[in-house]
Amino acid sequence: MVSMVGGAIIHAWWMRRMALQRKRPPAVWPLMRRPIINSDERKTWRWLELAFVDYSVMIKMPVTRFSTPNSKKEGVYWYELLSSLYCTFTIVRADGTVMGCVDLPPSSGKPNRSHRMKAAVLKQCGVSYIVLQPGLLPTIEQIRIYFLGDASAMPQSIQQAAAIEAASTSLRSSISRSRQTRHVSPVQKEPTNVDSSFDLDSQFSVGSSSGFTAKWQDDSFIMPLDSRRADL
């Protein structure tokens, strides 16, 4: 009897010790460094940095970082619901005010429930939101009007960049038309990162959603970032 009690005490002590060891940080973490953006995101980031050189372009900010509940009583509930949502790029004014958010579509190419929820939340907070295709970006003037409402206030450096961008687009269009006029073998239109007829309002529409159950984002902790390795 005494041996059974002693054995139970030793077993309980051993289990408690093992539980404490599991809670301790490991001596060597099973992790490695990785880039925070993939190749498509990097291309869009550089373009946004050019378009908003007078603003800060933040990368992958959680929505909960720049929103707050109207009532603190349900703050924990809303935080748990929204804590997994982040925006790929966030345009921020010098005083810390968020002017707009940009996302890229998931691998399926279509906005998912996460995008729809972000659109609804940000609209409620008065923050502009759009989902852009990396290979079909609007002009600098268009994206600034969409987020800021006035392109005439563009700094001179941005105006020059916008003029170069427009001239480059016009040149590519002229070359493409010239090739087609010569009746050579069918030539596909060369891809461009800028579309002068880009309709920002049609790029994203909030659809109905039966619920939100996504726990991990496409670029979450346990998912691979990109199929191609590329240095920043």
Side-chain angles (χ1 to χ4, degrees), residues 126-160:
V127 177
S128 298
Y129 175 73
I130 193 169
V131 179
L132 293 177
Q133 294 281 352
L136 187 63
L137 298 173
T139 64
I140 290 176
E141 183 178 7
Q142 286 172 329
I143 194 66
R144 284 183 68 90
I145 291 176
Y146 185 79
F147 281 147
L148 310 178
D150 185 9
S152 62
M154 288 194 298
Q156 186 176 1
S157 60
I158 301 180
Q159 292 179 10
Q160 293 173 351

Side-chain angles (χ1 to χ4, degrees), residues 41 44 48 60 63 86-90 101-106 112 114-116 118-119 122 129-134 147 204 217:
E41 292 168 343
T44 308
L48 287 171
K60 298 188 178 178
V63 171
Y86 66 86
C87 293
T88 310
F89 303 106
T90 305
C101 297
V102 176
D103 266 338
L104 272 59
N112 53 27
S114 171
H115 291 95
R116 289 192 288 270
K118 277 183 280 188
L122 295 176
Y129 175 73
I130 193 169
V131 179
L132 293 177
Q133 294 281 352
F147 281 147
F204 186 88
Q217 302 298 303

Side-chain angles (χ1 to χ4, degrees), residues 15-201:
M15 294 298 293
R16 183 171 178 271
R17 184 185 176 198
M18 294 300 294
L20 289 174
Q21 287 182 349
R22 283 195 294 268
K23 292 181 180 179
R24 293 174 183 172
V28 179
W29 290 91
L31 304 171
M32 61 181 179
R33 184 180 63 176
R34 67 163 189 172
I36 61 175
I37 54 176
N38 59 30
S39 54
D40 283 340
E41 292 168 343
R42 184 169 58 253
K43 182 194 306 180
T44 308
W45 181 30
R46 289 173 176 170
W47 178 79
L48 287 171
E49 287 277 358
L50 177 64
F52 295 97
V53 69
D54 49 338
Y55 289 78
S56 296
V57 182
M58 311 298 289
I59 305 175
K60 298 188 178 178
M61 284 186 65
V63 171
T64 53
R65 184 66 184 86
F66 52 89
S67 62
T68 186
N70 294 327
S71 173
K72 293 184 179 180
K73 293 181 180 179
E74 298 183 349
V76 174
Y77 170 79
W78 294 118
Y79 178 81
E80 291 178 351
L81 181 66
L82 302 174
S83 60
S84 63
L85 294 180
Y86 66 86
C87 293
T88 310
F89 303 106
T90 305
I91 314 302
V92 183
R93 206 165 57 188
D95 63 359
T97 303
V98 172
M99 304 303 296
C101 297
V102 176
D103 266 338
L104 272 59
S107 55
S108 63
K110 297 181 179 180
N112 53 27
R113 285 179 294 179
S114 171
H115 291 95
R116 289 192 288 270
M117 175 167 276
K118 277 183 280 188
V121 170
L122 295 176
K123 181 179 180 181
Q124 181 72 35
C125 295
V127 177
S128 298
Y129 175 73
I130 193 169
V131 179
L132 293 177
Q133 294 281 352
L136 187 63
L137 298 173
T139 64
I140 290 176
E141 183 178 7
Q142 286 172 329
I143 194 66
R144 284 183 68 90
I145 291 176
Y146 185 79
F147 281 147
L148 310 178
D150 185 9
S152 62
M154 288 194 298
Q156 186 176 1
S157 60
I158 301 180
Q159 292 179 10
Q160 293 173 351
I164 294 173
E165 180 185 65
S168 177
T169 304
S170 176
L171 178 61
R172 282 194 293 265
S173 299
S174 298
I175 293 174
S176 178
R177 286 194 301 268
S178 176
R179 288 176 177 173
Q180 292 176 1
T181 307
R182 287 187 228 150
H183 301 287
V184 195
S185 57
V187 179
Q188 293 183 350
K189 185 177 180 181
E190 295 184 359
T192 175
N193 285 341
V194 179
D195 182 4
S196 58
S197 61
F198 197 91
D199 184 4
L200 287 171
D201 292 330

